[in-house]
Amino acid sequence: MTPSLNEIINALEAEVNPGLQESWDNTGWQVCAESKDDACTGVLICVDVTDAVISEAIARGYNLIVSHHPLIFRPLKRLTGTTPAERMAIKLIKSGISVYSAHTSLDNASKGVSNYLAEALGLTKICPLAPRRDVLYKVAVYVPEKDADTVRDAMHHAGAGHIGRYDRCGFTIKGEGTFRPLQGSNPHIGQQDETTEVSEMKIEAVVSAHLRSKVESAIRKAHPYEEPAIDIYHIEAADTSTGLGAVGNLPQPLSAARLIERIKEVYGSPVVRTTPHDDSMTVSRVALCGGSGGEFIPAAIGAGAQVYVTSDVRYHDFVDYRERILVVDTGHYESEKCTTILLSSIISKKFPNFAVGISTTETNSITYQ
């Protein structure tokens, strides 16, 4: 059975939640068909939506493009065809093609852009360079003892209790719960107008903000009570399972020269920009960030990295940090071309016999001479 546009995107968002995006971003649907329930005739994956990519989708007969960079980053006030974004939006609408973009949601995902690059470089003990902060909550729910396992499993299945490289983390306390059902209630235990005491378990687990509503919904669905008691507390701590960038260790130390060659191979960069350095220096710890990550140079230094790999680094950042860390600028497109592999693999895993293609017409908008 052919999946709908919505089914394709729901499968993608199950692994790359749009709630992970940065506040300034525009992850999500960019242009959408009249009905998201329309059958999807094929998905074309790209880094950037361009006129050539749209023409390729038309030629292939695909009605969905999934990109990394948003087609519409700044709000469109009109559709007159005076800007590239306006012209492409008009072409997409005329051709019946929808566009969905997974930008910083994919950057922040636990298995996102930087984690992919870190693994490709062979790093070990990988963790986010800039974990997301102020996005954690603790959820506590009170449930009859006999139903505790069911509710706990529902919470964990929805994403609660994930801390770093551990899941199903939580804490349980046994106690006595009391309540009195009032007129109009339909109690699972007890009688109306009578106070009831029940042996209950208090189940606690942390949950990231983007999964909070999903976890709460799962609790209510699994809980036997008509009105379950749920407490939600904000936690001032970092979510070490998600965030921008990555830092890790090389399995064996390498010289700076050999590491730079490996970076060029993995990223597909014909050239890189670097701070002045000794090619023979020994490197054992590396930090990186896909896309424009110059702002995280201090974080890389603080994490003990000797090399930081990113793109779009400003000249004055090279000046300011040249004595403190080896900065390697690969180029923006090179650092994010892997998003096409990530996005296509997520969709293909869910729909293995469906047409999912990586654009063959897309090329880097920057050339090197």
Side-chain angles (χ1 to χ4, degrees), residues 94-138:
K94 285 183 175 180
S95 304
I97 298 174
S98 300
V99 174
Y100 181 96
S101 301
H103 190 211
T104 53
S105 59
L106 185 59
D107 292 330
N108 272 311
S110 60
K111 293 293 183 181
V113 179
S114 295
N115 185 84
Y116 177 93
L117 293 169
E119 290 183 343
L121 285 174
L123 301 187
T124 62
K125 297 183 179 179
I126 302 166
C127 61
L129 177 63
R132 297 169 71 235
R133 293 190 174 276
D134 299 323
V135 294
L136 280 181
Y137 292 84
K138 179 176 286 186

Side-chain angles (χ1 to χ4, degrees), residues 233-267:
Y233 312 92
H234 182 254
I235 302 173
E236 293 186 1
D239 179 3
T240 57
S241 65
T242 61
L244 296 173
V247 60
N249 300 328
L250 289 166
Q252 298 293 333
L254 291 176
S255 68
R258 180 65 192 99
L259 177 61
I260 290 171
E261 286 305 310
R262 178 180 289 184
I263 291 168
K264 291 166 69 174
E265 292 167 5
V266 168
Y267 283 66

Side-chain angles (χ1 to χ4, degrees), residues 138-202:
K138 179 176 286 186
V139 177
V141 59
Y142 302 82
V143 59
E145 189 173 354
K146 65 182 181 62
D147 299 295
D149 288 342
T150 299
V151 173
R152 184 188 294 108
D153 287 344
M155 293 172 65
H156 291 157
H157 183 72
H162 194 111
I163 303 176
R165 296 187 178 276
Y166 296 83
D167 65 3
R168 300 186 66 85
C169 301
F171 189 74
T172 305
I173 306 171
K174 185 176 180 178
E176 295 293 326
T178 62
F179 55 87
R180 184 175 68 174
L182 302 177
Q183 290 295 322
S185 62
N186 183 26
H188 177 72
I189 299 173
Q191 301 297 323
Q192 287 186 359
D193 298 321
E194 294 182 4
T195 299
T196 302
E197 294 184 359
V198 183
S199 177
E200 292 186 336
M201 307 294 286
K202 179 184 180 182

Side-chain angles (χ1 to χ4, degrees), residues 45-60:
I45 312 293
C46 61
V47 177
D48 296 289
V49 180
T50 63
D51 187 70
V53 169
I54 298 172
S55 294
E56 182 181 356
I58 295 171
R60 291 193 183 197

Side-chain angles (χ1 to χ4, degrees), residues 204-217:
E204 295 183 345
V206 296
V207 60
S208 190
H210 69 283
L211 295 173
R212 174 179 161 180
S213 61
K214 182 180 179 181
V215 170
E216 186 174 352
S217 177

